[in-house]
Amino acid sequence: MYQRPIRANHGEQYPENSASSTPSDTSRFVERRKKVWAQLLKRSLIPVLFAMILLVVVYALLGGTLVVNGLEEEIRPRANARNNQEILGSGIDGAKYKTACPDYKHYAAAPHRPLSKGPLALPYQRPSPHCRTFSSPLVEQIIEDITAKMEDKDLARIFENAFPNTLDTTVRWHVDGTGGHPKHRYMDGAWEGAQSFIVTGDIHAEWLRDSTNQLAQYQKLAKKDKRIESLILGAINTQAEFVIESPYCNAFQPPPPSGQPPSGNGQGDNVHPAFEPSRVFECKYELDSLASFLALGTQFHNNTGSNAFLNSRWYTALDTIMEVLLEQAKSTFNPNTGKYERNEYQFSRHTDRSTETLSLSGIGNPLGAGTGLIRSAFRPSDDATILGFFIPANAMIAAELQKTADMLRDVGKTDLAAEVRERGQSIEKGIWEHGVVQTKRYGEVFAYEVDGYGSQILMDDANLPSLLALPLLGFVDVNNKVYQNTRKMILDRKGNPYSLEGKAFSGIGGPHVGLQYAWPMSRLVQAMTSNNDDEIKKVLNDVRDVSKLGLIHESVNVNRGTDYTRPWFAWANSVFAQTVLHVAETRPHLIFGKDAKPYVVD
């Protein structure tokens, strides 16, 4: 016979419902049941009441913001009606508030109100002011100025989200240097002064290239905004430490003084020179990473006139870069004896993707002698080069060395300036001699990669630096004939294997994410290198239409616009902001309307 189970926590056994039960037994059974239900009700109410009290406490601490499933839901009117966000200085304990801030990686993947007034109704994707990693009143003023003027309110919403995205979400550590770093004293003046750790977005690491591009749209603000000036000065100082420690590496862990723990990339790469994993996130040697460090400094100097970063650590970093350039200018075989000479840098990774490791067991394909060009083992997409003389990175380092030489001359470092300029000019000469090739369809064009033996690869990748971006790098004028031929080639599906087109989107992609995904960043560079109003307008509209989350994605499936990679990619957001500011200054009628005056950030 089936015996009913004993009730947990009570030890009461339900009686059998038999015909022999007497009335008194029934009464006692009813009374016991009432007592059991009373106890259950009492015990269930206690946690409910406790939860309600806890909810009230949380409400008081967070100023009316509940975090539910990682998303913020506003539950009381905000003082700032324009964006329904709380204003800073509201008396809320910021430290306590930040403990409840959602991970922006998840936050960016879902839409948030208020929606834009345009037909796409794009979401507002900025985190609550108390969850932002850095703030600038000047940035807020520019957002208000630009968005109020823009006719397309969906484009305006993307700018509102994208322009401050680096400040809002990626400044994971910043000190202005006035308080020092009392916990530890480092040798040779390392980590002194202002410092800034700028992550790429959804990965807790800093790429030299990404962080330089992420900060580029704020460079013109540094002269007016001391906090922005300190932030960028700190970024230069931090990058200098990275370059000194591991000049062949591209991505770095949080600085030791930050107190933030390192994270692993799970790859177990075999790299020479060896690096310290607690300091380095990934060690792919990319020539443009070193050029990006120089660019961060020259942009800061040119916009502020400040020489504050020209300290002993920066000069040590520059010396380190010059040593790398000397080493990586060498050919695979000695030009006199023909003997193989091992390159200083080698990289191998256990992978089934050829783009993730170097050929020939980590050595890379042979390179010829006497070109003046510099080897780059990897591209800015973090994909391996096929032919190691990567022209876009050579163009960038050539331009940045000569800009650096101008700066050094201005501060009286004439001998060093001459040395740096000579190297830059040598690389530039090498590009024109070995990086320009003749094609039947397009005439003379810049090759993407060459090897010094006469082999070349004709293509372009979306990542910067690219062939499409050569004028933005300061290497050539946009009207240069060879550049215009190259531009025509790489925007043509018949000339560039990674020029992709589908029913939802079109643009340049690359091996990094496959053959169906184009990068919006490539279209934005197309707009900034165009003199055609219709072309620029189409680019802006096309990028807008595949940015349904109000942010710029890494790449988008050209046949299905809702299929994308990375909802949060700060570099791409910065390039969008730079494009809008460029159009606002040079062709304001395209976004502000007929007879609009230029909007110049200075």
Side-chain angles (χ1 to χ4, degrees):
M1 181 176 178
Y2 173 72
Q3 184 73 24
R4 293 180 186 269
I6 302 297
R7 290 283 289 181
N9 301 325
H10 298 292
E12 302 272 3
Q13 185 174 5
Y14 289 101
E16 293 295 324
N17 186 17
S18 63
S20 63
S21 298
T22 64
S24 59
D25 291 335
T26 303
S27 299
R28 286 194 297 272
F29 170 69
V30 170
E31 288 300 321
R32 285 198 301 270
R33 176 173 289 182
K34 287 181 179 179
K35 289 181 180 180
V36 168
W37 278 106
Q39 290 175 347
L40 287 173
L41 184 63
K42 182 179 179 181
R43 296 189 183 192
S44 63
L45 279 176
I46 291 175
V48 172
L49 290 172
F50 179 80
M52 292 178 66
I53 294 171
L54 182 62
L55 187 62
V56 172
V57 173
V58 170
Y59 178 91
L61 288 175
L62 301 187
T65 298
L66 288 177
V67 178
V68 181
N69 294 330
L71 307 178
E72 285 187 344
E73 297 294 332
E74 307 298 339
I75 61 175
R76 67 180 173 88
R78 299 303 191 210
N80 187 344
R82 184 176 68 86
N83 57 26
N84 283 356
Q85 293 282 339
E86 291 180 297
I87 59 172
L88 292 171
S90 60
I92 294 173
D93 187 327
K96 291 181 179 178
Y97 195 105
K98 283 185 181 298
T99 62
C101 291
D103 184 339
Y104 192 75
K105 180 178 180 179
H106 303 302
Y107 188 89
H112 304 276
R113 293 180 181 274
L115 306 179
S116 65
K117 302 301 182 182
L120 296 181
L122 297 181
Y124 181 84
Q125 299 295 75
R126 298 186 67 185
S128 163
H130 297 285
C131 295
R132 296 172 190 170
T133 57
F134 197 88
S135 63
S136 163
L138 184 54
V139 166
E140 302 301 325
Q141 184 62 55
I142 292 172
I143 293 171
E144 188 171 337
D145 291 346
I146 292 285
T147 56
K149 293 175 180 289
M150 292 180 74
E151 292 185 317
D152 187 324
K153 294 307 175 185
D154 291 321
L155 274 177
R157 171 51 54 84
I158 300 175
F159 180 80
E160 183 179 14
N161 292 332
F163 179 53
N165 189 249
T166 288
L167 301 185
D168 284 353
T169 65
T170 70
V171 184
R172 295 306 173 88
W173 178 62
H174 170 66
V175 291
D176 61 15
T178 58
H181 307 307
K183 290 186 178 180
H184 189 82
R185 196 76 178 171
Y186 296 88
M187 295 179 62
D188 301 323
W191 303 111
E192 291 184 359
Q195 303 288 336
S196 304
F197 180 59
I198 314 294
V199 301
T200 187
D202 52 7
I203 303 172
H204 193 68
E206 176 173 334
W207 270 252
L208 298 180
R209 169 190 56 256
D210 292 34
S211 57
T212 291
N213 284 287
Q214 287 168 238
L215 294 169
Q217 70 268 24
Y218 310 126
Q219 289 276 12
K220 289 185 177 181
L221 313 183
K223 193 168 185 177
K224 290 184 177 180
D225 189 325
K226 291 298 181 184
R227 295 194 73 235
I228 293 287
E229 180 181 12
S230 175
L231 179 70
I232 299 176
L233 175 61
I236 299 170
N237 291 340
T238 298
Q239 284 199 10
E241 299 299 335
F242 290 155
V243 170
I244 292 169
E245 171 138 351
S246 297
Y248 284 100
C249 299
N250 60 322
F252 295 84
Q253 305 279 14
S258 73
Q260 299 178 22
S263 55
N265 66 10
Q267 298 297 339
D269 302 327
N270 184 11
V271 183
H272 184 276
F275 63 88
E276 171 51 54
S278 66
R279 303 289 186 92
V280 172
F281 181 81
E282 185 176 62
C283 198
K284 290 180 174 178
Y285 162 55
E286 299 163 355
L287 178 59
D288 67 276
S289 292
L290 301 179
S292 294
F293 165 69
L294 297 179
L296 187 62
T298 56
Q299 290 171 14
F300 182 73
H301 174 79
N302 293 338
N303 282 287
T304 65
S306 173
N307 302 326
F309 64 95
L310 295 177
N311 51 39
S312 62
R313 300 301 286 174
W314 185 88
Y315 284 113
T316 300
L318 178 60
D319 290 343
T320 304
I321 290 173
M322 297 299 287
E323 291 174 5
V324 171
L325 298 182
L326 179 65
E327 183 64 35
Q328 295 305 312
K330 296 177 180 178
S331 57
T332 304
F333 301 99
N334 186 291
N336 297 317
T337 66
K339 183 179 179 181
Y340 166 69
E341 295 182 343
R342 195 188 81 164
N343 194 285
E344 176 68 12
Y345 177 81
Q346 297 182 54
F347 180 100
S348 61
R349 171 178 291 179
H350 184 71
T351 176
D352 59 1
R353 296 183 61 183
S354 62
T355 57
E356 287 295 315
T357 190
L358 294 181
S359 61
L360 299 175
S361 302
I363 297 171
N365 290 316
L367 298 174
T371 64
L373 297 172
I374 309 297
R375 178 201 190 208
S376 184
F378 288 87
R379 300 168 179 172
S381 59
D382 296 336
D383 296 321
T385 55
I386 299 171
L387 306 179
F389 292 142
F390 175 54
I391 297 302
N394 273 269
M396 184 178 183
I397 194 73
E400 289 304 330
L401 286 170
Q402 294 182 72
K403 293 174 189 176
T404 300
D406 291 340
M407 179 180 66
L408 293 171
R409 178 200 60 205
D410 292 344
V411 299
K413 298 283 187 178
T414 54
D415 291 344
L416 181 57
E419 178 188 350
V420 171
R421 189 181 308 280
E422 182 179 5
R423 174 61 74 177
Q425 291 174 341
S426 174
I427 298 170
E428 181 180 6
K429 181 182 178 184
I431 293 171
W432 288 106
E433 290 183 355
H434 300 275
V436 176
V437 300
Q438 183 72 35
T439 65
K440 291 182 179 180
R441 186 188 296 270
Y442 306 101
E444 283 192 322
V445 299
F446 290 106
Y448 191 65
E449 293 173 358
V450 298
D451 64 357
Y453 288 108
S455 298
Q456 69 261 338
I457 293 176
L458 300 181
M459 59 165 280
D460 202 19
D461 187 285
N463 284 263
L464 305 177
S466 63
L467 293 179
L468 187 60
L470 289 179
L472 304 182
L473 304 177
F475 183 75
V476 292
D477 183 83
V478 71
N479 295 313
N480 178 273
K481 179 64 175 175
V482 177
Y483 171 73
Q484 282 298 319
N485 292 344
T486 306
R487 190 177 192 274
K488 185 182 298 184
M489 177 185 73
I490 59 184
L491 293 177
D492 186 351
R493 288 185 296 121
K494 296 179 180 179
N496 179 11
Y498 293 101
S499 180
L500 310 176
E501 186 174 337
K503 61 184 180 181
F505 190 56
S506 64
I508 298 173
H512 197 67
V513 291
L515 298 175
Q516 297 187 74
Y517 292 81
W519 294 51
M521 192 155 59
S522 71
R523 297 297 304 278
L524 297 169
V525 172
Q526 180 184 351
M528 286 191 283
T529 57
S530 174
N531 291 319
N532 184 285
D533 283 2
D534 292 337
E535 181 181 13
I536 297 170
K537 190 70 174 176
K538 179 170 173 48
V539 165
L540 293 175
N541 291 342
D542 287 353
V543 172
R544 175 201 63 197
D545 292 346
V546 293
S547 304
K548 298 298 176 61
L549 284 175
L551 294 167
I552 308 300
H553 302 305
E554 177 189 56
S555 69
V556 177
N557 188 319
V558 294
N559 290 307
R560 193 166 75 250
T562 55
D563 179 15
Y564 58 83
T565 60
R566 301 179 75 175
W568 173 31
F569 188 33
W571 179 10
N573 288 316
S574 291
V575 175
F576 178 85
Q578 293 156 26
T579 304
V580 170
L581 292 174
H582 172 79
V583 174
E585 181 174 344
T586 60
R587 283 178 160 75
H589 58 281
L590 294 181
I591 56 175
F592 297 153
K594 186 178 179 181
D595 299 326
K597 295 181 179 179
Y599 185 91
V600 181
V601 177
D602 55 17

